């Protein structure tokens, strides 16, 4: 049964939007009239591949927005719980859709349910929404459907998505305070240089003596900020925009940028450890779901963010396909730590590869979390000290000519 978006008018004259399942558009209008609503517009909730950005397709585009990490984790947990309770897939999807208040999430779930009721598998129905469900999600769902353990696989996926959501929320919360310090400090310094300093140092132009170098530098910075401050801000914003666009459009450019980032001491370690932990976690989930090792490695490699690491892992997949051991192939990439490769080798030898991969992922994620916590703890006082040094420089640059004038008068 397909899902429809509708816009209707209530008895009070207010517009009401929503999603409804029905056999056809006329059925939707009849149901709305039965609820004492006047239908204005009814349209089918279609896949994102069929949508265009125009006025008539705005509601469909709204329904095709990507799910946030929190919304995906909540959907996966609710869906897994209902399946574990014995509900059929279509009834579980309907219950989850009725539970959510977000219109675009409800439309997406009902669209998946409609595809399932038309005879498609759950994995195929979810693949029609790539903005919401990743390759890992669809491949794991397909494996769960093949093995008949979809509820257990969904529970693993729920744990994974909730963990990723918690990590993102933790990083966002940890970055709020340093970001506020940087923004406020930048604003205060810019205000001093643009408005306060020129008035205070304007009187120095009447002095017939050489100004201290600190005062000269401060006056030059103040004049430069007044003359070209807005242009510099615009140029910086344009640079960020162009960099982001080129990173998305040109894989070769993104490869070079990421290669440079991987060579940096701290940033490179965080990127490398995060990507290898994501690979280990994904490979563990897929192996638990019964996906063959080669297919699982291919899917896990596609989810890696850094192109140099992804390319090295894809080369490792080829070596494994030729008969090589997984731990040796990953060791040759140079991105996996010795502890990780030893644990993977132990998992291959004992037949518990999925469990050892999960331990590898846990250990590396804990390392990254600890490193980020320490870095942020050091970053906050460093920013405060830096801003204090800048303010001290401004104060000295303003006061030194006054001290010199007092010496001359004395």
């Amino acid at each position: 049964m397909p899902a429809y978006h509708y816009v209707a008018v209530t008895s009070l004259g207010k517009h009401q939007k929503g999603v409804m399942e029905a056999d056809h558009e006329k059925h939707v209008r009849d149901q709305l009239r039965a609820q004492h609503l006047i239908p204005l517009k009814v349209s089918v909730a279609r896949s994102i591949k069929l949508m265009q950005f125009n006025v008539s397709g705005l509601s469909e585009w709204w329904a095709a927005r990507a799910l946030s990490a929190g919304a995906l984790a909540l959907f996966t947990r609710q869906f897994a719980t209902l399946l574990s309770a014995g509900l059929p897939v279509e009834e579980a999807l309907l219950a989850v859709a009725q539970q959510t208040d977000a219109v675009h999430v409800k439309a997406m779930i009902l669209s998946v349910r409609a595809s399932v009721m038309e005879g498609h598998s759950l994995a195929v129905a979810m693949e029609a929404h790539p903005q919401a469900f990743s390759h890992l999600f669809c491949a794991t769902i397909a494996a769960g459907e093949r093995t008949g353990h979809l509820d257990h696989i969904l529970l693993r996926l729920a744990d994974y998505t909730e963990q990723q959501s918690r990590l993102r929320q933790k990083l966002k919360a940890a970055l709020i305070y340093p970001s506020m310090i940087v923004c406020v400090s930048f604003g205060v310094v810019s205000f001093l240089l643009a408005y306060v300093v020129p008035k205070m140092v304007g009187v120095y132009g009447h002095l017939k003596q050489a100004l201290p170098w600190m005062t000269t530098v401060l006056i030059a910075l103040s004049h430069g900020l007044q003359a070209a401050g807005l242009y510099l801000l615009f140029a910086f914003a344009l640079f960020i925009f162009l960099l982001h666009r080129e990173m998305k459009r040109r894989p070769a450019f993104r490869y070079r940028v990421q290669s440079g980032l991987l060579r940096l001491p701290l940033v490179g370690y965080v990127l490398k450890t995060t990507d290898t932990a994501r690979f280990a976690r994904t490979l563990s989930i897929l192996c638990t779901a019964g996906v063959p090792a080669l297919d699982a490695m291919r899917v896990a490699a596609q989810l890696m963010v850094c192109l140099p690491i992804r390319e090295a892992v894809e080369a490792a997949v080829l070596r494994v396909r030729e008969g090589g051991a997984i731990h040796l192939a990953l060791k040759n990439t140079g991105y996996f730590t010795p502890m990780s490769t030893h644990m993977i080798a132990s998992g291959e030898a004992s037949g518990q590869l999925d469990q050892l991969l999960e331990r590898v992922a846990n250990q590396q994620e804990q390392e990254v979390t600890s490193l980020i916590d320490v870095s942020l703890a050091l970053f906050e006082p460093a920013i405060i000290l830096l801003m204090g040094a800048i303010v001290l420089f401004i104060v000295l640059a303003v006061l030194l000519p006054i001290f010199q004038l007092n010496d001359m008068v004395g």
Side-chain angles (χ1 to χ4, degrees):
M1 187 178 296
Y4 291 86
H5 299 275
Y6 68 84
V7 180
V9 178
T10 65
S11 59
L12 299 177
K14 296 182 179 180
H15 284 71
Q16 178 176 318
K17 299 180 181 180
V19 182
M20 182 181 295
E21 281 189 321
D23 295 327
H24 46 75
E25 183 177 328
K26 184 178 181 300
H27 190 198
V28 177
R29 296 182 181 274
D30 293 339
Q31 292 186 56
L32 291 175
R33 292 190 183 99
Q35 299 174 13
H36 304 288
L37 298 174
I38 302 175
L40 297 179
K41 180 181 178 183
V42 178
S43 57
V44 181
R46 296 173 291 175
S47 173
I48 193 173
K49 296 178 181 178
L50 302 178
M51 297 172 195
Q52 297 178 352
F53 286 92
N54 49 36
V55 176
S56 62
L58 185 59
S59 60
E60 288 88 353
W61 169 80
W62 175 267
R65 293 186 302 161
L67 288 182
S68 63
L72 180 61
L74 180 61
F75 162 76
T76 309
R77 176 64 65 186
Q78 291 176 342
F79 189 37
T81 302
L82 292 172
L83 287 181
S84 301
L87 269 70
V89 172
E90 60 273 12
E91 293 185 16
L93 287 171
L94 179 60
V96 176
Q98 293 173 344
Q99 182 70 23
T100 182
D101 295 328
V103 176
H104 71 285
V105 178
K106 180 179 294 187
M108 181 272 300
I109 298 174
L110 292 178
S111 178
V112 171
R113 181 176 182 267
S115 299
V116 171
M117 295 185 68
E118 290 172 0
H120 299 287
S121 67
L122 180 61
V124 172
M126 289 181 170
E127 286 176 356
H129 302 271
Q131 75 285 354
F133 304 107
S134 63
H135 294 298
L136 165 65
F137 208 99
C138 296
T140 310
I141 292 295
E145 289 181 299
R146 287 197 304 267
T147 58
H149 300 291
L150 182 59
D151 52 345
H152 300 294
I153 297 304
L154 274 170
L155 289 174
R156 288 290 304 273
L157 276 176
D159 294 336
Y160 174 75
T161 52
E162 287 174 354
Q163 183 181 17
Q164 295 298 313
S165 178
R166 285 195 299 268
L167 180 60
R168 289 189 180 95
Q169 293 297 328
K170 183 178 181 180
L171 288 177
K172 289 179 181 178
L175 289 174
I176 288 176
Y177 182 63
S179 301
M180 290 181 61
I181 292 178
V182 172
C183 293
V184 172
S185 302
F186 178 79
V188 169
V189 172
S190 300
F191 177 77
L192 290 176
L193 291 178
Y195 298 102
V196 178
V197 172
K199 296 180 179 180
M200 297 182 65
V201 301
V203 297
Y204 298 154
H206 303 289
L207 300 178
K208 297 181 180 181
Q209 63 176 5
L211 295 175
W213 68 270
M214 296 178 67
T215 307
T216 304
V217 171
L218 183 64
I219 294 175
L221 288 175
S222 178
H223 290 167
L225 184 63
Q226 286 180 302
L230 293 178
Y231 299 103
L232 291 176
L233 184 61
F234 175 76
F236 178 74
L238 181 63
F239 170 76
I240 296 298
F241 170 76
L242 294 176
L243 178 64
H244 179 70
R245 189 185 66 175
E246 292 300 308
M247 289 278 287
K248 292 182 64 176
R249 290 185 176 183
R250 297 173 53 191
F253 177 75
R254 184 165 73 251
Y255 184 96
R256 291 195 297 270
V257 172
Q258 291 176 345
S259 297
L261 292 176
L262 287 172
R263 297 189 186 97
L264 299 178
L266 182 61
V267 177
Y269 176 79
V270 171
L271 292 177
K272 179 181 68 175
T273 307
T274 302
D275 245 7
T276 53
R278 182 183 295 111
F279 174 83
R281 178 76 64 186
T282 305
L283 191 58
S284 171
I285 294 175
L286 293 174
C287 289
T288 303
V291 179
L294 279 175
D295 294 338
M297 291 183 69
R298 291 192 189 98
V299 174
Q302 292 300 315
L303 296 178
M304 304 183 84
V305 177
C306 291
L307 294 183
I309 305 179
R310 182 192 301 179
E311 184 180 87
V313 172
E314 289 175 347
V317 174
L318 296 178
R319 287 192 288 269
V320 173
R321 188 177 65 178
E322 294 171 355
I326 295 177
H327 71 279
L328 291 178
L330 296 178
K331 180 180 179 180
N332 292 333
T333 63
Y335 293 109
F336 290 82
T337 62
M339 179 178 293
S340 300
T341 55
H342 284 303
M343 293 179 70
I344 294 173
S346 176
E348 286 185 283
S350 61
Q352 298 178 343
L353 181 60
D354 54 343
Q355 300 179 15
L356 270 298
L357 283 169
E358 187 173 1
R359 292 184 184 179
V360 169
N362 290 333
Q363 183 260 337
Q364 291 190 319
E365 288 170 357
Q366 289 175 0
E367 286 186 6
V368 173
T369 303
S370 300
L371 181 60
I372 292 175
D373 290 340
V374 172
S375 301
L376 291 176
L378 295 176
F379 179 74
E380 294 176 8
I383 288 294
I384 294 175
L385 290 176
L386 177 61
M387 292 301 105
I390 294 175
V391 172
L392 177 63
F393 174 82
I394 295 175
V395 171
L396 291 178
V398 172
L399 294 180
L400 280 178
I402 298 177
F403 294 155
Q404 289 184 357
L405 183 62
N406 290 337
D407 294 339
M408 294 177 60
V409 173

